């Protein structure tokens, strides 16, 4: 079992930055694929970024967001720069014991989410 706890969300102005953190309970985090998803009101949950031995990003965030991990601290980060109002959503951390995928249903463990609001 893996427990995930997100933090770092908040209110930011357009073109601002935020860094989200996801702390995992399990010490074998390094073997898991970790990902960030987001869900805006009235919309489906969508893939944002994932990291295992490589990284993958949604086209909408490439060049603006960076996913990274600190295995020693069991933490995954999402650095978000140049934020836009369209980035407003609840952001969720997820984990799976497998390869990187963008599919929501492929992830076994989820955090409770952290809200990011970008004002125009």
């Amino acid at each position: 079992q893996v427990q995930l706890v997100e933090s770092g969300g908040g209110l930011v102005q357009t073109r601002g930055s935020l860094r989200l953190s996801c702390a995992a309970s399990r010490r074998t985090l390094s073997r898991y694929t970790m990902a960030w998803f987001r869900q805006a009101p009235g919309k489906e949950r969508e893939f944002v970024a994932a990291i295992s031995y490589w990284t993958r990003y949604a086209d909408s965030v490439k060049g603006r967001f960076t996913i990274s991990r600190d295995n020693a601290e069991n933490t995954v980060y999402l650095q978000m720069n140049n934020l836009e109002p369209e980035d407003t959503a609840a952001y969720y951390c997820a984990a799976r014991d497998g390869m990187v995928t963008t599919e929501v249903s492929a992830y076994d463990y989820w955090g409770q989410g952290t809200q990011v609001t970008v004002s125009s």
Side-chain angles (χ1 to χ4, degrees):
Q1 191 75 7
V2 177
Q3 294 182 328
L4 305 172
V5 179
E6 303 98 333
S7 61
L11 175 65
V12 64
Q13 292 186 332
T14 297
R15 292 182 294 280
S17 297
L18 281 175
R19 188 176 80 156
L20 305 183
S21 299
C22 172
S25 62
R26 189 159 178 166
R27 295 191 177 186
T28 55
L29 179 67
S30 60
R31 77 170 232 238
Y32 283 79
T33 289
M34 303 297 298
W36 288 93
F37 289 78
R38 66 186 181 187
Q39 188 167 19
K43 294 188 177 182
E44 293 186 351
R45 192 167 296 190
E46 66 175 8
F47 172 79
V48 175
I51 185 169
S52 62
Y53 297 105
W54 58 86
T55 58
R56 183 171 179 176
Y57 296 92
D59 288 342
S60 60
V61 306
K62 280 181 182 176
R64 300 189 299 122
F65 291 10
T66 302
I67 188 171
S68 61
R69 66 197 301 166
D70 184 337
N71 291 331
E73 295 295 326
N74 298 321
T75 303
V76 176
Y77 302 97
L78 185 68
Q79 177 66 44
M80 305 185 296
N81 298 328
N82 197 21
L83 283 159
E84 303 166 351
E86 293 72 24
D87 296 316
T88 295
Y91 282 71
Y92 297 89
C93 179
R96 72 184 301 262
D97 187 6
M99 297 178 65
V100 168
T101 176
T102 63
E103 297 296 322
V104 172
S105 60
Y107 287 82
D108 303 306
Y109 306 103
W110 292 86
Q112 82 290 349
T114 186
Q115 179 67 35
V116 172
T117 302
V118 184
S119 64
S120 57

